[in-house]
Amino acid sequence: MNAGDVLINIITMTVLTVVFMIILTAFVRRILGAHIGLGRIVIAGLLGLGAEVGFESQFVWNRQEYTPALLPIQLGIIILVAVAFLVIAELIVPAGSIPRPDQWIPSLRRRAERTRRYAEITNIALRRGLLPFRPNTDASPTGSAERTRQARALREALEDAGGAFVKLGQVLSTRTDLLPPEFLEELSHLQQRVPAAEWASIRPLLELELGRPVDEVFASFDDVPLAAASIGQVHRAILTTGEAVAVKVQRPGIIPRIERDIDITIRIAKRLEASTEWARVLGVADLADGFAASLRDEVDYRIEASNMSAMTQTQQAHPEDESLTIPKHYAALCTSRVLVMDLVDGITLSDPAALAGRPESERSHRASKLFRSTLTQIIDDGVFHADLHPGNIMLTPAGDLVLLDFGSVGRLDSELRKQIGGVLLAFYRSDSRSFADALLAFVELPDDIDEFALRRQIGVFMSNKLGPGAAIDVTVFTEMVRLLSTNHIAVPGELASAFRAVATLEGTLRYLSPSFQMLEEAGEFAKHRVADASRPGALYTAAKDELGSLLPILRRLPERADRITGALADGRLTLNIRLFADHRDRSLIRELVNLLAITFLAGIFGIMSAMLLASSGGPQVTPTLTLFQIFGYLLVVASGLLTLKVLFDVFRLRR
């Protein structure tokens, strides 16, 4: 055989192998009803071919004359072994749990970096005396002293860790529902001791984002930042048009480090929740997920610019006693890593100097204005600042409140806003029945829930939290969500976001004015809303809106009434009821019927194959095989494939 014949044979075998793999891929994906990766298909195909070669070596080669009647059995062996491998692989290593080969090196790098960060965080926690950590609930002075020591160790550890962990500490500093007062007090002093990035690294990033040199955009630019944080830093500048602005620039290379810290935070939270009771009670995994989503939005300054535009629009429509200041931003100069806004003269509430020397009456007035504005944002605007901790609120020398950092802004549709208004009105009236109606309107009740018992629980909740002498705090919202979760009722994400916003605001309000009473203020707010809604003009507007929504129904009503009465007179009136109208019910029934049908066929094929293999009748195809036995082997393959299909579906449904 010359070189040309060898090359032709190699090309022929290559083409046949590729065609075989394509056919095998299509067949296996059709059988299993799922997308299978190319790598697994190749391995499965090679194993199938190996099994078929082994079969030939034992039962065909040098034993009997080959006949084409064996071809279906050979193909069946290949497919059966391939599918068996894929099912076993899905059971042991589910699809997607191992990265593709082209991702192995980046994955190893990320794992190595994450391991180094784990070691760094562990060393920090050990050095600060934070580990081993055991929550202390002792109400004695000794218990309080131990909690104070733990809180100080936690603050110092978070400051040393930096990055996303400082942000996490700032979020925790307002969660009075999760942490005792000692932790809240200590975390409120959390500082980001982060050195500013060098101007030599900031300038190229700034010019890359703006698309032109700094001197063409700014008449002057102070390369020493006003403030530096773990994600970005703020510089003072003057535009060529003369406006004094604050330029927020993201730190170079911060996104990978933030993603690494987010990943570590979520992993630690899940591990704690799986291994400790206190973490399960606090729901630290959900807290970490919410923190991660909020932080990812925060690092994209385009989202923040869009949120500022929305908040500016809504605040302009607020009355004077509810209106807060939103800095003007310059959209043409804002990118994903650069944000340019007006420079505001003031001090954030997190700075003790902001409130020093101000009388309690003024602080209470500012707290009331902030609270009313937030309620108006949630109920009327549907666009609200979801992270109102003291560091995100600035107090100007004139006493105005200015909101900062719009990376976390929630949005509500009109239906949710109406329902939240109903909850607030029920608060004001202390009407447990209306409160239950408004609260349950948010959610979809499970079929097996005892609604009467649930309403009784809500009534007890109302009497405990909103009865005589009660004072509303963040625990009202936390226990409200927990009450629903205990009854296996999922709370909409938008509603949970609004609850978290009010929970964060509660800590800020108490810091701004320790004597501020949220329950009384919410009652006054609801009272004014009821009074405004009772005015003749408001009643006319509401009636006009309702009539406008009813007009399409009223137009169709005569035609429908005529059709119904005509069908009734002719004896043709029927009532059409659809079983399984919900697509989830139909999907479940369809999957169960398919599994039962395939299982039944697999069993029938198995019985038939056993009967045929045990039979010695039928035409003799080879000296050792009859036609009936060949059919039996084919039915064995068919039964095996169907059984594997059932197992694959069961594993996939369970996961």
Coordinates of all heavy atoms in Angstrom, one line a residue, residues 595-647:
L595 N -43.0 9.9 31.7 CA -42.1 8.9 32.4 C -42.8 7.6 32.6 O -42.2 6.5 32.4 CB -41.8 9.5 33.8 CG -40.8 10.6 33.9 CD1 -40.7 11.1 35.3 CD2 -39.4 10.1 33.4
L596 N -44.1 7.6 32.9 CA -44.9 6.3 33.0 C -44.9 5.6 31.7 O -44.7 4.3 31.7 CB -46.3 6.6 33.6 CG -46.4 7.1 35.0 CD1 -47.8 7.4 35.3 CD2 -45.9 6.0 36.0
A597 N -45.1 6.3 30.6 CA -45.2 5.6 29.3 C -43.9 5.0 28.9 O -43.8 3.8 28.5 CB -45.7 6.6 28.3
I598 N -42.8 5.7 29.1 CA -41.5 5.2 28.8 C -41.1 4.1 29.7 O -40.5 3.0 29.3 CB -40.4 6.4 28.9 CG1 -40.7 7.4 27.8 CG2 -39.0 5.8 28.7 CD1 -39.8 8.6 27.9
T599 N -41.4 4.2 31.0 CA -41.1 3.1 31.9 C -41.9 1.8 31.5 O -41.4 0.7 31.6 CB -41.5 3.5 33.4 OG1 -40.8 4.7 33.7 CG2 -41.1 2.4 34.4
F600 N -43.2 2.0 31.2 CA -44.0 0.8 30.7 C -43.4 0.2 29.5 O -43.3 -1.1 29.4 CB -45.4 1.3 30.5 CG -46.3 0.3 29.9 CD1 -46.9 -0.7 30.8 CD2 -46.7 0.2 28.6 CE1 -47.7 -1.7 30.3 CE2 -47.5 -0.8 28.1 CZ -48.0 -1.7 28.9
L601 N -43.0 1.0 28.5 CA -42.4 0.4 27.3 C -41.1 -0.3 27.6 O -40.8 -1.3 27.0 CB -42.2 1.6 26.3 CG -43.5 2.1 25.6 CD1 -43.1 3.3 24.7 CD2 -44.2 1.0 24.8
A602 N -40.3 0.3 28.5 CA -39.0 -0.3 28.8 C -39.3 -1.7 29.4 O -38.6 -2.7 29.1 CB -38.2 0.6 29.8
G603 N -40.3 -1.8 30.3 CA -40.6 -3.1 30.9 C -41.1 -4.1 29.9 O -40.7 -5.2 29.9
I604 N -42.0 -3.6 29.0 CA -42.5 -4.5 28.0 C -41.4 -5.0 27.1 O -41.3 -6.2 26.8 CB -43.6 -3.8 27.2 CG1 -44.9 -3.6 28.0 CG2 -44.0 -4.6 25.9 CD1 -45.5 -4.8 28.5
F605 N -40.6 -4.1 26.6 CA -39.5 -4.5 25.8 C -38.5 -5.5 26.5 O -38.0 -6.5 25.9 CB -38.6 -3.3 25.3 CG -39.4 -2.5 24.3 CD1 -38.9 -1.2 24.0 CD2 -40.5 -2.9 23.6 CE1 -39.6 -0.4 23.0 CE2 -41.2 -2.2 22.7 CZ -40.7 -0.9 22.4
G606 N -38.3 -5.3 27.8 CA -37.5 -6.2 28.5 C -38.0 -7.6 28.6 O -37.3 -8.6 28.4
I607 N -39.4 -7.7 28.9 CA -40.0 -9.0 28.9 C -40.0 -9.7 27.6 O -39.7 -10.9 27.5 CB -41.5 -8.8 29.4 CG1 -41.5 -8.3 30.9 CG2 -42.2 -10.1 29.3 CD1 -42.9 -7.9 31.4
M608 N -40.3 -8.9 26.5 CA -40.3 -9.5 25.2 C -38.9 -10.0 24.8 O -38.7 -11.1 24.2 CB -40.8 -8.5 24.1 CG -42.2 -8.1 24.3 SD -42.7 -6.7 23.2 CE -42.4 -7.5 21.6
S609 N -37.8 -9.2 25.2 CA -36.5 -9.6 24.8 C -36.1 -10.9 25.6 O -35.5 -11.8 25.0 CB -35.5 -8.5 25.2 OG -35.4 -8.3 26.6
A610 N -36.5 -11.0 26.8 CA -36.2 -12.3 27.5 C -36.9 -13.5 26.9 O -36.3 -14.6 26.8 CB -36.7 -12.1 29.0
M611 N -38.2 -13.3 26.4 CA -38.9 -14.4 25.8 C -38.2 -14.8 24.5 O -38.1 -16.0 24.2 CB -40.3 -14.0 25.6 CG -41.1 -13.8 26.9 SD -42.8 -13.1 26.6 CE -43.5 -14.4 25.6
L612 N -37.8 -13.8 23.7 CA -37.2 -14.1 22.4 C -35.8 -14.7 22.6 O -35.4 -15.6 21.8 CB -37.1 -12.8 21.6 CG -38.4 -12.3 21.0 CD1 -38.2 -10.9 20.4 CD2 -39.0 -13.2 20.0
L613 N -35.0 -14.3 23.6 CA -33.7 -14.9 23.8 C -33.8 -16.3 24.3 O -32.9 -17.1 24.0 CB -32.9 -14.0 24.7 CG -32.4 -12.6 24.2 CD1 -31.8 -11.8 25.3 CD2 -31.5 -12.8 23.0
A614 N -34.8 -16.6 25.0 CA -35.0 -17.9 25.6 C -35.5 -18.9 24.5 O -35.5 -20.1 24.7 CB -35.9 -17.9 26.8
S615 N -36.1 -18.3 23.4 CA -36.6 -19.1 22.4 C -35.5 -19.6 21.4 O -34.6 -19.0 21.1 CB -37.7 -18.3 21.5 OG -38.1 -19.0 20.4
S616 N -35.7 -20.9 20.9 CA -34.8 -21.5 20.0 C -35.3 -21.5 18.6 O -34.7 -22.1 17.7 CB -34.4 -22.9 20.4 OG -35.5 -23.7 20.5
G617 N -36.5 -20.9 18.4 CA -37.2 -20.9 17.1 C -36.7 -19.8 16.2 O -35.9 -19.0 16.6
G618 N -37.3 -19.8 15.0 CA -36.9 -18.8 14.0 C -35.9 -19.2 13.1 O -35.1 -20.2 13.3
P619 N -35.7 -18.5 11.9 CA -34.7 -18.9 10.9 C -33.3 -18.8 11.5 O -33.0 -17.9 12.3 CB -35.0 -17.9 9.8 CG -36.3 -17.3 10.1 CD -36.6 -17.4 11.5
Q620 N -32.4 -19.6 11.1 CA -31.0 -19.6 11.6 C -30.3 -18.6 10.7 O -30.1 -18.8 9.5 CB -30.4 -21.0 11.4 CG -29.2 -21.2 12.3 CD -29.5 -21.4 13.7 OE1 -30.6 -21.8 14.1 NE2 -28.6 -21.1 14.6
V621 N -29.8 -17.6 11.4 CA -29.0 -16.5 10.7 C -27.5 -16.9 10.7 O -26.8 -16.7 9.6 CB -29.2 -15.2 11.3 CG1 -28.4 -14.1 10.6 CG2 -30.7 -14.8 11.3
T622 N -27.0 -17.3 11.8 CA -25.6 -17.8 11.9 C -25.7 -19.1 12.6 O -26.7 -19.5 13.1 CB -24.7 -16.8 12.7 OG1 -25.1 -16.8 14.1 CG2 -24.9 -15.4 12.2
P623 N -24.5 -19.8 12.6 CA -24.5 -21.1 13.3 C -25.0 -21.0 14.8 O -25.4 -22.0 15.3 CB -23.1 -21.6 13.2 CG -22.6 -20.9 11.9 CD -23.2 -19.6 11.9
T624 N -24.8 -19.9 15.4 CA -25.2 -19.8 16.8 C -26.3 -18.8 17.1 O -26.7 -18.6 18.3 CB -23.9 -19.3 17.6 OG1 -23.5 -18.0 17.1 CG2 -22.8 -20.3 17.6
L625 N -26.8 -18.1 16.1 CA -27.9 -17.1 16.3 C -29.1 -17.3 15.4 O -28.9 -17.6 14.2 CB -27.3 -15.7 16.1 CG -26.5 -15.0 17.2 CD1 -26.0 -13.7 16.7 CD2 -27.3 -14.9 18.4
T626 N -30.3 -17.2 16.0 CA -31.5 -17.2 15.2 C -32.0 -15.8 15.0 O -31.6 -14.9 15.7 CB -32.6 -18.1 15.8 OG1 -33.0 -17.5 17.1 CG2 -32.1 -19.5 16.2
L627 N -33.0 -15.7 14.1 CA -33.5 -14.3 13.9 C -34.3 -13.8 15.1 O -34.2 -12.6 15.4 CB -34.5 -14.4 12.7 CG -35.1 -13.0 12.2 CD1 -34.0 -12.1 11.8 CD2 -36.1 -13.3 11.1
F628 N -35.0 -14.7 15.8 CA -35.7 -14.3 17.0 C -34.7 -13.8 18.1 O -35.0 -12.9 18.8 CB -36.5 -15.5 17.6 CG -37.7 -15.8 16.7 CD1 -38.5 -16.9 17.0 CD2 -38.1 -15.0 15.6 CE1 -39.7 -17.2 16.3 CE2 -39.2 -15.3 14.9 CZ -40.0 -16.4 15.2
Q629 N -33.5 -14.5 18.2 CA -32.6 -14.0 19.2 C -32.0 -12.7 18.8 O -31.7 -11.8 19.7 CB -31.4 -15.1 19.3 CG -31.9 -16.4 20.0 CD -30.9 -17.4 19.9 OE1 -30.0 -17.5 19.0 NE2 -30.9 -18.4 20.9
I630 N -31.8 -12.4 17.5 CA -31.3 -11.1 17.1 C -32.3 -10.0 17.5 O -32.0 -9.0 18.0 CB -31.0 -11.1 15.6 CG1 -29.8 -11.9 15.3 CG2 -30.8 -9.6 15.1 CD1 -29.5 -12.0 13.8
F631 N -33.7 -10.4 17.3 CA -34.7 -9.4 17.7 C -34.7 -9.2 19.2 O -34.9 -8.1 19.7 CB -36.1 -9.9 17.2 CG -36.3 -9.8 15.8 CD1 -37.3 -10.6 15.1 CD2 -35.6 -8.9 15.0 CE1 -37.5 -10.5 13.8 CE2 -35.9 -8.8 13.6 CZ -36.8 -9.6 13.0
G632 N -34.4 -10.3 19.9 CA -34.3 -10.2 21.4 C -33.2 -9.3 21.8 O -33.4 -8.5 22.7
Y633 N -32.0 -9.4 21.2 CA -30.9 -8.5 21.5 C -31.3 -7.0 21.2 O -30.9 -6.1 22.0 CB -29.6 -8.9 20.7 CG -28.9 -10.1 21.3 CD1 -28.7 -11.2 20.5 CD2 -28.5 -10.1 22.6 CE1 -28.1 -12.4 21.0 CE2 -27.9 -11.2 23.2 CZ -27.7 -12.4 22.4 OH -27.0 -13.5 22.9
L634 N -32.0 -6.8 20.1 CA -32.4 -5.4 19.7 C -33.3 -4.9 20.8 O -33.3 -3.7 21.1 CB -33.0 -5.4 18.3 CG -32.0 -5.7 17.2 CD1 -32.8 -5.7 15.8 CD2 -30.9 -4.7 17.1
L635 N -34.2 -5.8 21.2 CA -35.2 -5.3 22.3 C -34.5 -5.0 23.6 O -34.9 -4.2 24.4 CB -36.3 -6.3 22.5 CG -37.3 -6.4 21.3 CD1 -38.3 -7.5 21.5 CD2 -38.1 -5.0 21.2
V636 N -33.4 -5.8 23.9 CA -32.6 -5.5 25.1 C -32.0 -4.1 25.0 O -32.0 -3.3 25.9 CB -31.5 -6.6 25.2 CG1 -30.5 -6.1 26.3 CG2 -32.0 -7.9 25.6
V637 N -31.5 -3.8 23.8 CA -30.9 -2.4 23.6 C -32.0 -1.4 23.7 O -31.8 -0.4 24.4 CB -30.3 -2.3 22.2 CG1 -29.9 -0.9 21.9 CG2 -29.1 -3.2 22.1
A638 N -33.2 -1.6 23.1 CA -34.3 -0.6 23.2 C -34.7 -0.5 24.7 O -35.0 0.6 25.2 CB -35.5 -1.1 22.4
S639 N -34.9 -1.6 25.4 CA -35.3 -1.5 26.8 C -34.2 -0.8 27.6 O -34.6 0.0 28.5 CB -35.5 -2.9 27.4 OG -35.8 -2.9 28.7
G640 N -32.9 -1.1 27.4 CA -31.9 -0.4 28.1 C -31.9 1.1 27.8 O -31.7 1.9 28.8
L641 N -32.1 1.5 26.6 CA -32.1 2.9 26.2 C -33.3 3.6 26.9 O -33.1 4.7 27.5 CB -32.2 3.1 24.7 CG -31.0 2.8 23.9 CD1 -31.3 2.9 22.4 CD2 -29.8 3.7 24.3
L642 N -34.4 3.0 26.9 CA -35.6 3.7 27.6 C -35.4 3.8 29.1 O -35.8 4.7 29.7 CB -36.9 2.9 27.2 CG -37.3 2.9 25.8 CD1 -38.6 2.1 25.5 CD2 -37.6 4.4 25.3
T643 N -34.8 2.7 29.7 CA -34.6 2.8 31.1 C -33.6 3.9 31.4 O -33.8 4.6 32.4 CB -34.0 1.4 31.6 OG1 -34.9 0.4 31.3 CG2 -33.7 1.4 33.1
L644 N -32.5 4.0 30.6 CA -31.6 5.1 30.9 C -32.2 6.4 30.7 O -31.9 7.4 31.4 CB -30.4 4.9 29.9 CG -29.5 3.7 30.2 CD1 -28.5 3.5 29.0 CD2 -28.8 3.8 31.5
K645 N -33.1 6.5 29.7 CA -33.9 7.8 29.5 C -34.7 8.2 30.8 O -34.6 9.3 31.2 CB -34.8 7.6 28.3 CG -35.9 8.7 28.2 CD -35.4 10.0 27.8 CE -36.6 11.0 27.6 NZ -36.1 12.4 27.4
V646 N -35.3 7.2 31.4 CA -36.1 7.4 32.6 C -35.2 7.9 33.7 O -35.5 8.9 34.4 CB -36.9 6.2 33.0 CG1 -37.5 6.4 34.4 CG2 -38.0 5.9 32.0
L647 N -34.0 7.2 33.9 CA -33.1 7.6 35.0 C -32.6 9.0 34.7 O -32.4 9.8 35.7 CB -32.0 6.6 35.0 CG -32.3 5.1 35.5 CD1 -31.1 4.2 35.3 CD2 -32.8 5.1 36.9

